[in-house]
Amino acid sequence: MKNKKIKSFFGGILLAVASVYAQNPPEITSLIMEGLLPEPQTLVSFPKQMGIHPNEINGFYLKGKAEIPFGLSYFTDKSQVKESKGSILLELTRKVTNVEGYELNVTKDGVKLKARTQKGLFYGMMTLEQMAKYADELNAEIPACQIKDAPNSTYRALHIDLKHHIDKKEYMYQILDKMASYKLNAAIVEFEDKIKYDSYPQIGAPQAWSIDEWKDWCEYAYKLHIEISPLIQGIGHADFILKHEEMKTLRENPKSDWVCCPSNKDYYRVQFGLYEDAIRATPHGKYLHVGGDEVGTLGTCPLCKKRGLNALGLQMDWLKRVSDYAVKHGRTPVFWDDMVFKQVGLYAAILDQISPEQVDSVWNVHLPELNKHIRSFPKEVVYMRWQYGNANQPGNKKALKWYYDNGLRVMGATAAQTTYAMMPLGGFVENIRSFQIARKEVPVEGVLCTAWDDASPLFDTFWPGFIAHAQYSWNNQKEMNKKEFNRRYRMAEFGCGAASLDDFRPLLESTFSLWETGLLDEGVRRSLYRTGGKFKVMSLPGEEKGEWTHKYQQRIDEARKGVLKTLRVNEMLTNYRRKAIRNTYSLQVFECINELTGYTAELLVALSDYDCKRDFVSRNNLLACIRKFDVIRENMEHVYSQTRVLDQPAGYKLPMNHHAHLAIQTANSDWMFLYEIKFLQELTTYLKCLNNE
């Protein structure tokens, strides 16, 4: 009893202290209200009224069948209380019409949150928690306000591509937490060999998760209102299947592990077995994504030739078979649509690789051929129209409208990452926004934001694009520009103090051009498919002093600027570190990337200095620079290994790598430093030979 009195006494003191919180200055209220991501549809602030400090909130009052949402990150210590001053009222009511919508009211007396469904309550709490975190950081009150909010898109999905890697289990769960905080509600997981398939155990990689492990992950996602569906490649991108000796008979081309033969009955036995296991691993999934893209050799094997069908006919026959399987097993089939248009001559038009003025004429020429096959398009399929550039262009919109006019279901696909090495570059935010603009004219079932594993950057580098997708798929009515989005992103990801900082990414990205090709005479780092994986490192100095520097003068000049850029990015990241109160791991990742991309510039400058001087000091400086690479690599691998399994396990069989993906060049982490390793080997040998002379 004595302890209860003491607790009551101190509790009274805390309430007394909390009640004296001053009303926010206008700039603080604006900072909190204008920092929300996704931005609510309607937000009315009441600057003349007192709000409530997060410390004054004492718990949840539940009305009707409302429940405290699972997965809260800020109000985790709050339990159910009686209705009182400082409580959060949660109420389910049919007065809120949208199943994901909510109405949120904040006053000095507490919070009232209403929704039609438990999902709506969850999204309302995500908004409230974001405001509470900002208020807590600023030692301010949650401003008095009224929010009425609901998403413009019911399907707000991410693509998780596990083609060449798998992340650590704890991190995979963290991905779901973060998705939920930004109101993303679905993911399509490209599993490939990262399931321990019961039907064909040899296909699952040694480090793959079991079906039960994936089920547990999907159940956790379901509690966060995230629906997980599998993508299991089949007819193309099938190297994870066809690389195995016992599967070679299923190949369209015996010399390639890329394409399965759609005329081989045994192939469907294998494909359906993998589908069955993937469906079991994703118990709440709505879709089964069957792939179907980039199939370039259909119709070349004897079995296919006997059937007398062209490539499009073979593909649509395959699509009918696999979609029938999906529907029979309670899933809606999803299909990449590029080959459909490619095989009738419309590929360049739908991707807007030709001028807008040409689109109409090219479309009109080839449309009759496309229309000939309309009856072979299964109606139950969702055709995924991908466009990773500006989707709000004539060709892409014509394709979307063609589906709509023919009564076919269509979904969009944009990208936060395509083939970039180390991290995505460029205008992905505007491109992501463009698909939401395009869909205003032509209805689509939703948009998937892809992130491809070809060059396998860390997942942390994708979040700017993913969060942009969260913003524009939730709210495509507000004209939030890239600059404003980036400000809110910095605030949400790193803290209120980061909102006013300069964006370090543009300067960091500007160092990539030299890093991509700076150590090469031939080739390019990320787009290895352009050269079939071949490259040639740059030549080394000859006998004549300064001749090498003169030969590569433009590159050396760029390297000297690059050294300064790297130092400046490091200063900016250090400033972020001082201001950041969360996601410091992401900053570590960017620091490592900055070190690696900057190393190319530093090495070229040191080699040029040695080339021109050929003295003891310049040689020692060059040797020190060579040794520095081991430190950079060790640091990067230490940081990356916190979230990712870096090396392929012993006994892992590499595919033939038809597309020359950077991330599968080696079974260990050498692929991350492919050009540095090769160039430094030749440079070290060169210096040893000079020393022996």
Side-chain angles (χ1 to χ4, degrees):
M1 180 65 71
K2 184 177 180 182
N3 287 340
K4 287 185 178 179
K5 288 182 178 179
I6 291 171
K7 287 181 180 178
S8 177
F9 173 74
F10 280 107
I13 291 176
L14 288 173
L15 285 174
V17 171
S19 67
V20 300
Y21 287 115
Q23 186 173 1
N24 293 343
E27 61 271 17
I28 295 297
T29 294
S30 294
L31 184 62
I32 295 171
M33 294 288 91
E34 295 173 7
L36 296 176
L37 277 176
E39 182 182 12
Q41 300 286 354
T42 62
L43 186 159
V44 180
S45 181
F46 304 112
K48 294 183 179 180
Q49 299 181 23
M50 288 283 290
I52 186 169
H53 195 283
N55 292 346
E56 294 180 297
I57 293 176
N58 55 37
F60 293 94
Y61 171 63
L62 306 181
K63 194 170 182 179
K65 296 183 179 181
E67 299 175 2
I68 299 173
F70 174 82
L72 301 181
S73 62
Y74 184 83
F75 294 111
T76 54
D77 61 336
K78 307 300 180 188
S79 56
Q80 189 171 348
V81 297
K82 293 183 178 180
E83 186 173 17
S84 60
K85 185 174 182 178
S87 63
I88 301 173
L89 168 67
L90 300 180
E91 180 182 359
L92 293 179
T93 172
R94 298 184 70 83
K95 291 180 181 179
V96 178
T97 56
N98 189 292
V99 294
E100 294 184 294
Y102 63 90
E103 294 181 8
L104 178 65
N105 287 273
V106 179
T107 68
K108 62 182 175 61
D109 295 323
V111 178
K112 293 183 178 180
L113 175 59
K114 299 179 180 181
R116 189 180 186 88
T117 64
Q118 192 63 36
K119 186 182 292 188
L121 290 179
F122 177 80
Y123 292 137
M125 282 304 304
M126 292 301 99
T127 298
L128 180 64
E129 286 208 321
Q130 200 173 59
M131 288 193 292
K133 289 175 185 177
Y134 294 160
D136 198 358
E137 289 173 42
L138 299 165
N139 193 26
E141 62 185 31
I142 304 171
C145 65
Q146 181 185 72
I147 295 174
K148 294 184 178 181
D149 199 13
N152 290 124
S153 175
T154 58
Y155 191 71
R156 307 176 298 279
L158 299 189
H159 172 227
I160 301 176
D161 186 2
L162 303 179
K163 194 181 285 94
H164 302 315
H165 83 283
I166 192 163
D167 293 306
K168 291 187 174 179
K169 188 170 290 187
E170 181 182 7
Y171 188 65
M172 290 293 291
Y173 279 85
Q174 289 172 5
I175 289 171
L176 296 175
D177 290 333
K178 196 162 192 173
M179 287 178 63
S181 73
Y182 288 108
K183 304 184 179 74
L184 293 161
N185 68 352
I188 289 180
V189 182
E190 190 156 351
F191 284 106
E192 294 229 345
D193 58 1
K194 302 311 183 296
I195 297 177
K196 290 187 184 297
Y197 295 101
D198 287 345
S199 55
Y200 295 94
Q202 66 271 42
I203 291 176
Q207 78 275 36
W209 291 12
S210 68
I211 290 174
D212 285 341
E213 286 175 307
W214 281 117
K215 284 174 69 175
D216 289 344
W217 185 75
C218 292
E219 291 290 352
Y220 184 82
Y222 186 69
K223 291 179 181 179
L224 295 171
H225 306 283
I226 297 171
E227 177 253 304
I228 307 294
S229 295
L231 194 168
I232 303 296
Q233 289 281 11
I235 192 171
H237 283 272
D239 48 3
F240 74 104
I241 302 170
L242 299 177
K243 68 181 182 179
H244 298 284
E245 188 66 32
E246 54 268 59
M247 299 293 172
K248 286 184 176 180
T249 57
L250 307 182
R251 295 178 177 182
E252 176 80 359
N253 177 355
K255 295 181 179 180
S256 171
D257 61 8
W258 189 252
V259 178
C260 293
C261 172
S263 302
N264 188 327
K265 293 180 181 179
D266 290 337
Y267 153 66
Y268 290 99
R269 174 175 48 81
V270 174
Q271 187 75 75
F272 294 162
L274 302 184
Y275 285 168
E276 181 182 353
D277 289 341
I279 290 171
R280 286 172 51 214
T282 57
H284 301 288
K286 178 181 179 181
Y287 299 107
L288 172 62
H289 199 313
V290 298
D293 59 321
E294 297 180 331
V295 188
T297 58
L298 282 184
T300 59
C301 80
L303 282 176
C304 288
K305 287 179 179 178
K306 285 181 181 179
R307 298 178 64 188
L309 296 174
N310 62 17
L312 182 56
L314 288 166
Q315 182 140 27
M316 300 313 287
D317 176 72
W318 165 84
L319 181 59
K320 180 70 169 65
R321 295 194 196 193
V322 296
S323 62
D324 283 349
Y325 178 92
V327 172
K328 182 179 178 181
H329 290 80
R331 297 294 175 102
T332 299
V334 180
F335 165 68
W336 298 120
D337 73 347
D338 53 299
M339 297 308 296
V340 167
F341 292 99
K342 189 170 187 176
Q343 288 161 356
V344 297
L346 283 170
Y347 187 80
I350 62 161
L351 293 180
D352 291 286
Q353 295 174 346
I354 56 179
S355 69
E357 295 76 23
Q358 293 176 291
V359 168
D360 280 345
S361 59
V362 171
W363 187 265
N364 291 336
V365 168
H366 295 281
L367 182 60
E369 181 63 26
L370 178 62
N371 286 337
K372 282 182 187 177
H373 297 272
I374 188 62
R375 296 178 68 178
S376 68
F377 281 65
K379 292 282 187 180
E380 60 272 20
V381 170
V382 173
Y383 296 85
M384 187 163 276
R385 170 81 297 279
W386 60 268
Q387 168 55 284
Y388 304 148
N390 180 0
N392 192 36
Q393 294 189 87
N396 185 57
K397 290 195 288 188
K398 275 187 176 294
L400 293 174
K401 190 173 186 304
W402 180 83
Y403 284 121
Y404 181 75
D405 290 345
N406 284 283
L408 297 171
R409 302 169 66 181
V410 61
M411 186 181 290
T414 183
Q417 154 68 5
T418 52
T419 63
Y420 292 106
M422 287 299 158
M423 71 180 209
L425 307 180
F428 48 84
V429 170
E430 293 294 352
N431 290 337
I432 287 167
R433 179 171 176 254
S434 73
F435 226 122
Q436 299 300 333
I437 296 172
R439 67 175 299 204
K440 291 180 182 180
E441 295 182 28
V442 184
V444 300
E445 296 203 8
V447 178
L448 171 72
C449 187
T450 62
W452 296 100
D453 200 39
D454 301 12
S456 207
L458 276 193
F459 204 87
D460 257 62
T461 67
F462 302 158
W463 279 114
F466 285 157
I467 296 169
H469 179 57
Q471 160 61 29
Y472 298 121
S473 60
W474 181 275
N475 186 343
N476 64 18
Q477 304 302 313
K478 300 292 181 69
E479 297 294 327
M480 184 186 292
N481 60 34
K482 182 178 178 181
K483 182 178 179 181
E484 173 61 12
F485 167 77
N486 284 337
R487 185 191 67 80
R488 294 193 187 211
Y489 159 76
R490 293 193 297 274
M491 186 170 167
E493 283 295 282
F494 304 115
C496 294
S500 60
L501 294 178
D502 291 333
D503 188 357
F504 64 84
R505 282 187 69 133
L507 186 58
L508 176 57
E509 290 181 19
S510 72
T511 68
F512 273 61
S513 176
L514 183 67
W515 175 70
E516 286 267 16
T517 58
L519 300 180
L520 300 178
D521 278 341
E522 296 176 14
V524 61
R525 191 181 298 260
R526 64 183 172 95
S527 302
L528 291 175
Y529 60 87
R530 294 177 182 171
T531 60
K534 297 176 182 178
F535 63 90
K536 181 181 178 182
V537 296
M538 66 193 303
S539 61
L540 295 171
E543 295 181 3
E544 190 71 29
K545 281 186 181 182
E547 186 177 19
W548 180 87
T549 298
H550 179 73
K551 177 181 178 181
Y552 294 106
Q553 189 64 61
Q554 186 175 351
R555 201 177 302 189
I556 304 303
D557 291 343
E558 187 180 352
R560 295 190 190 281
K561 294 175 184 176
V563 170
L564 297 177
K565 288 179 181 179
T566 300
L567 290 173
R568 175 59 184 145
V569 172
N570 186 58
E571 290 174 2
M572 295 172 77
L573 287 169
T574 300
N575 203 17
Y576 271 78
R577 286 277 203 144
R578 294 193 190 103
K579 300 277 188 179
I581 62 169
R582 52 182 167 268
N583 292 332
T584 54
Y585 176 73
S586 288
L587 296 177
Q588 282 184 279
V589 170
F590 289 121
E591 286 168 347
C592 289
I593 293 171
N594 185 47
E595 281 187 336
L596 181 64
T597 58
Y599 179 73
T600 294
E602 188 177 349
L603 181 61
L604 289 173
V605 170
L607 182 53
S608 174
D609 190 47
Y610 170 74
D611 172 54
C612 293
K613 296 177 181 176
R614 308 292 177 104
D615 59 9
F616 178 79
V617 174
S618 62
R619 178 185 174 87
N620 273 359
N621 287 341
L622 179 57
L623 289 171
C625 189
I626 292 171
R627 290 192 295 270
K628 184 178 179 179
F629 172 73
D630 292 333
V631 177
I632 291 173
R633 175 172 181 168
E634 183 179 355
N635 182 47
M636 177 165 275
E637 291 183 338
H638 170 72
V639 171
Y640 277 42
S641 64
Q642 292 176 46
T643 61
R644 171 175 289 198
V645 178
L646 275 187
D647 295 343
Q648 301 291 357
Y652 183 81
K653 183 180 176 64
L654 292 173
M656 295 171 72
N657 202 8
H658 175 76
H659 271 200
H661 288 170
L662 178 64
I664 204 64
Q665 293 295 311
T666 62
N668 63 5
S669 60
D670 282 358
W671 64 268
M672 295 172 64
F673 318 100
L674 201 62
Y675 299 164
E676 289 87 353
I677 291 171
K678 177 66 173 174
F679 183 73
L680 289 172
Q681 285 174 346
E682 295 195 6
L683 180 56
T684 301
T685 301
Y686 162 82
L687 291 173
K688 284 180 179 178
C689 290
L690 287 179
N691 192 46
N692 291 337
E693 289 176 2

PDB file of all heavy atoms in Angstrom, residues 255-270:
ATOM      1  N   LYS A 255      21.846 -25.453 -74.170  1.00  0.00           N
ATOM      2  CA  LYS A 255      23.066 -24.746 -73.778  1.00  0.00           C
ATOM      3  C   LYS A 255      22.797 -23.523 -72.894  1.00  0.00           C
ATOM      4  O   LYS A 255      23.725 -22.798 -72.536  1.00  0.00           O
ATOM      5  CB  LYS A 255      23.824 -24.303 -75.032  1.00  0.00           C
ATOM      6  CG  LYS A 255      24.335 -25.471 -75.871  1.00  0.00           C
ATOM      7  CD  LYS A 255      25.109 -24.972 -77.086  1.00  0.00           C
ATOM      8  CE  LYS A 255      25.632 -26.149 -77.911  1.00  0.00           C
ATOM      9  NZ  LYS A 255      26.388 -25.682 -79.107  1.00  0.00           N
ATOM     10  N   SER A 256      21.524 -23.289 -72.534  1.00  0.00           N
ATOM     11  CA  SER A 256      21.184 -22.121 -71.725  1.00  0.00           C
ATOM     12  C   SER A 256      20.238 -22.514 -70.599  1.00  0.00           C
ATOM     13  O   SER A 256      19.276 -23.263 -70.810  1.00  0.00           O
ATOM     14  CB  SER A 256      20.519 -21.040 -72.592  1.00  0.00           C
ATOM     15  OG  SER A 256      20.004 -20.001 -71.787  1.00  0.00           O
ATOM     16  N   ASP A 257      20.501 -21.980 -69.411  1.00  0.00           N
ATOM     17  CA  ASP A 257      19.621 -22.261 -68.274  1.00  0.00           C
ATOM     18  C   ASP A 257      18.581 -21.154 -68.061  1.00  0.00           C
ATOM     19  O   ASP A 257      18.014 -21.034 -66.980  1.00  0.00           O
ATOM     20  CB  ASP A 257      20.439 -22.475 -66.986  1.00  0.00           C
ATOM     21  CG  ASP A 257      21.266 -21.252 -66.585  1.00  0.00           C
ATOM     22  OD1 ASP A 257      21.099 -20.185 -67.204  1.00  0.00           O
ATOM     23  OD2 ASP A 257      22.084 -21.377 -65.651  1.00  0.00           O
ATOM     24  N   TRP A 258      18.310 -20.360 -69.079  1.00  0.00           N
ATOM     25  CA  TRP A 258      17.458 -19.182 -68.922  1.00  0.00           C
ATOM     26  C   TRP A 258      15.979 -19.460 -69.153  1.00  0.00           C
ATOM     27  O   TRP A 258      15.128 -18.930 -68.437  1.00  0.00           O
ATOM     28  CB  TRP A 258      17.931 -18.082 -69.879  1.00  0.00           C
ATOM     29  CG  TRP A 258      17.272 -16.760 -69.669  1.00  0.00           C
ATOM     30  CD1 TRP A 258      16.335 -16.161 -70.469  1.00  0.00           C
ATOM     31  CD2 TRP A 258      17.485 -15.852 -68.590  1.00  0.00           C
ATOM     32  NE1 TRP A 258      15.960 -14.942 -69.953  1.00  0.00           N
ATOM     33  CE2 TRP A 258      16.671 -14.721 -68.792  1.00  0.00           C
ATOM     34  CE3 TRP A 258      18.314 -15.874 -67.462  1.00  0.00           C
ATOM     35  CZ2 TRP A 258      16.628 -13.643 -67.923  1.00  0.00           C
ATOM     36  CZ3 TRP A 258      18.276 -14.790 -66.596  1.00  0.00           C
ATOM     37  CH2 TRP A 258      17.453 -13.702 -66.822  1.00  0.00           C
ATOM     38  N   VAL A 259      15.625 -20.281 -70.159  1.00  0.00           N
ATOM     39  CA  VAL A 259      14.229 -20.444 -70.581  1.00  0.00           C
ATOM     40  C   VAL A 259      13.803 -21.900 -70.482  1.00  0.00           C
ATOM     41  O   VAL A 259      14.505 -22.802 -70.955  1.00  0.00           O
ATOM     42  CB  VAL A 259      14.030 -19.941 -72.031  1.00  0.00           C
ATOM     43  CG1 VAL A 259      12.589 -20.159 -72.490  1.00  0.00           C
ATOM     44  CG2 VAL A 259      14.399 -18.470 -72.139  1.00  0.00           C
ATOM     45  N   CYS A 260      12.625 -22.104 -69.887  1.00  0.00           N
ATOM     46  CA  CYS A 260      12.020 -23.434 -69.853  1.00  0.00           C
ATOM     47  C   CYS A 260      11.224 -23.680 -71.135  1.00  0.00           C
ATOM     48  O   CYS A 260      10.666 -22.743 -71.716  1.00  0.00           O
ATOM     49  CB  CYS A 260      11.064 -23.554 -68.672  1.00  0.00           C
ATOM     50  SG  CYS A 260      11.838 -23.508 -67.049  1.00  0.00           S
ATOM     51  N   CYS A 261      11.142 -24.911 -71.522  1.00  0.00           N
ATOM     52  CA  CYS A 261      10.366 -25.270 -72.710  1.00  0.00           C
ATOM     53  C   CYS A 261       8.887 -25.358 -72.345  1.00  0.00           C
ATOM     54  O   CYS A 261       8.494 -26.218 -71.549  1.00  0.00           O
ATOM     55  CB  CYS A 261      10.838 -26.600 -73.273  1.00  0.00           C
ATOM     56  SG  CYS A 261       9.773 -27.211 -74.606  1.00  0.00           S
ATOM     57  N   PRO A 262       8.035 -24.500 -72.917  1.00  0.00           N
ATOM     58  CA  PRO A 262       6.608 -24.511 -72.566  1.00  0.00           C
ATOM     59  C   PRO A 262       5.842 -25.677 -73.180  1.00  0.00           C
ATOM     60  O   PRO A 262       4.647 -25.841 -72.904  1.00  0.00           O
ATOM     61  CB  PRO A 262       6.112 -23.184 -73.128  1.00  0.00           C
ATOM     62  CG  PRO A 262       6.994 -22.922 -74.310  1.00  0.00           C
ATOM     63  CD  PRO A 262       8.341 -23.462 -73.927  1.00  0.00           C
ATOM     64  N   SER A 263       6.514 -26.474 -74.009  1.00  0.00           N
ATOM     65  CA  SER A 263       5.860 -27.629 -74.637  1.00  0.00           C
ATOM     66  C   SER A 263       6.214 -28.939 -73.941  1.00  0.00           C
ATOM     67  O   SER A 263       5.738 -30.002 -74.340  1.00  0.00           O
ATOM     68  CB  SER A 263       6.263 -27.711 -76.117  1.00  0.00           C
ATOM     69  OG  SER A 263       5.919 -26.523 -76.795  1.00  0.00           O
ATOM     70  N   ASN A 264       7.038 -28.844 -72.901  1.00  0.00           N
ATOM     71  CA  ASN A 264       7.491 -30.029 -72.172  1.00  0.00           C
ATOM     72  C   ASN A 264       6.564 -30.254 -70.970  1.00  0.00           C
ATOM     73  O   ASN A 264       6.489 -29.426 -70.062  1.00  0.00           O
ATOM     74  CB  ASN A 264       8.933 -29.811 -71.705  1.00  0.00           C
ATOM     75  CG  ASN A 264       9.546 -31.064 -71.100  1.00  0.00           C
ATOM     76  OD1 ASN A 264       8.863 -31.863 -70.472  1.00  0.00           O
ATOM     77  ND2 ASN A 264      10.845 -31.206 -71.292  1.00  0.00           N
ATOM     78  N   LYS A 265       5.848 -31.391 -70.970  1.00  0.00           N
ATOM     79  CA  LYS A 265       4.899 -31.673 -69.893  1.00  0.00           C
ATOM     80  C   LYS A 265       5.587 -31.773 -68.537  1.00  0.00           C
ATOM     81  O   LYS A 265       5.010 -31.399 -67.505  1.00  0.00           O
ATOM     82  CB  LYS A 265       4.137 -32.964 -70.201  1.00  0.00           C
ATOM     83  CG  LYS A 265       3.207 -32.863 -71.408  1.00  0.00           C
ATOM     84  CD  LYS A 265       2.480 -34.176 -71.648  1.00  0.00           C
ATOM     85  CE  LYS A 265       1.563 -34.073 -72.867  1.00  0.00           C
ATOM     86  NZ  LYS A 265       0.864 -35.364 -73.135  1.00  0.00           N
ATOM     87  N   ASP A 266       6.810 -32.280 -68.517  1.00  0.00           N
ATOM     88  CA  ASP A 266       7.529 -32.418 -67.246  1.00  0.00           C
ATOM     89  C   ASP A 266       7.837 -31.052 -66.627  1.00  0.00           C
ATOM     90  O   ASP A 266       7.937 -30.926 -65.402  1.00  0.00           O
ATOM     91  CB  ASP A 266       8.841 -33.174 -67.452  1.00  0.00           C
ATOM     92  CG  ASP A 266       8.620 -34.641 -67.779  1.00  0.00           C
ATOM     93  OD1 ASP A 266       7.543 -35.154 -67.421  1.00  0.00           O
ATOM     94  OD2 ASP A 266       9.514 -35.259 -68.383  1.00  0.00           O
ATOM     95  N   TYR A 267       7.991 -30.040 -67.476  1.00  0.00           N
ATOM     96  CA  TYR A 267       8.245 -28.696 -66.961  1.00  0.00           C
ATOM     97  C   TYR A 267       7.103 -28.235 -66.061  1.00  0.00           C
ATOM     98  O   TYR A 267       7.326 -27.661 -64.988  1.00  0.00           O
ATOM     99  CB  TYR A 267       8.444 -27.697 -68.108  1.00  0.00           C
ATOM    100  CG  TYR A 267       8.064 -26.280 -67.739  1.00  0.00           C
ATOM    101  CD1 TYR A 267       8.780 -25.579 -66.775  1.00  0.00           C
ATOM    102  CD2 TYR A 267       6.963 -25.661 -68.325  1.00  0.00           C
ATOM    103  CE1 TYR A 267       8.414 -24.282 -66.414  1.00  0.00           C
ATOM    104  CE2 TYR A 267       6.589 -24.375 -67.975  1.00  0.00           C
ATOM    105  CZ  TYR A 267       7.317 -23.692 -67.019  1.00  0.00           C
ATOM    106  OH  TYR A 267       6.943 -22.431 -66.653  1.00  0.00           O
ATOM    107  N   TYR A 268       5.847 -28.472 -66.472  1.00  0.00           N
ATOM    108  CA  TYR A 268       4.699 -28.012 -65.690  1.00  0.00           C
ATOM    109  C   TYR A 268       4.615 -28.744 -64.351  1.00  0.00           C
ATOM    110  O   TYR A 268       4.185 -28.163 -63.344  1.00  0.00           O
ATOM    111  CB  TYR A 268       3.412 -28.177 -66.498  1.00  0.00           C
ATOM    112  CG  TYR A 268       3.349 -27.214 -67.656  1.00  0.00           C
ATOM    113  CD1 TYR A 268       3.696 -27.620 -68.938  1.00  0.00           C
ATOM    114  CD2 TYR A 268       2.985 -25.884 -67.465  1.00  0.00           C
ATOM    115  CE1 TYR A 268       3.678 -26.732 -70.004  1.00  0.00           C
ATOM    116  CE2 TYR A 268       2.961 -24.988 -68.527  1.00  0.00           C
ATOM    117  CZ  TYR A 268       3.307 -25.419 -69.792  1.00  0.00           C
ATOM    118  OH  TYR A 268       3.304 -24.525 -70.842  1.00  0.00           O
ATOM    119  N   ARG A 269       5.039 -29.989 -64.317  1.00  0.00           N
ATOM    120  CA  ARG A 269       5.064 -30.720 -63.050  1.00  0.00           C
ATOM    121  C   ARG A 269       5.981 -30.013 -62.050  1.00  0.00           C
ATOM    122  O   ARG A 269       5.630 -29.817 -60.884  1.00  0.00           O
ATOM    123  CB  ARG A 269       5.537 -32.163 -63.290  1.00  0.00           C
ATOM    124  CG  ARG A 269       5.727 -32.977 -62.013  1.00  0.00           C
ATOM    125  CD  ARG A 269       6.072 -34.431 -62.346  1.00  0.00           C
ATOM    126  NE  ARG A 269       7.128 -34.534 -63.350  1.00  0.00           N
ATOM    127  CZ  ARG A 269       8.429 -34.409 -63.080  1.00  0.00           C
ATOM    128  NH1 ARG A 269       8.835 -34.160 -61.856  1.00  0.00           N
ATOM    129  NH2 ARG A 269       9.325 -34.551 -64.055  1.00  0.00           N
ATOM    130  N   VAL A 270       7.151 -29.577 -62.534  1.00  0.00           N
ATOM    131  CA  VAL A 270       8.091 -28.868 -61.666  1.00  0.00           C
ATOM    132  C   VAL A 270       7.547 -27.487 -61.303  1.00  0.00           C
ATOM    133  O   VAL A 270       7.544 -27.093 -60.131  1.00  0.00           O
ATOM    134  CB  VAL A 270       9.472 -28.744 -62.354  1.00  0.00           C
ATOM    135  CG1 VAL A 270      10.412 -27.881 -61.515  1.00  0.00           C
ATOM    136  CG2 VAL A 270      10.082 -30.118 -62.588  1.00  0.00           C
TER     137      VAL A 270
END
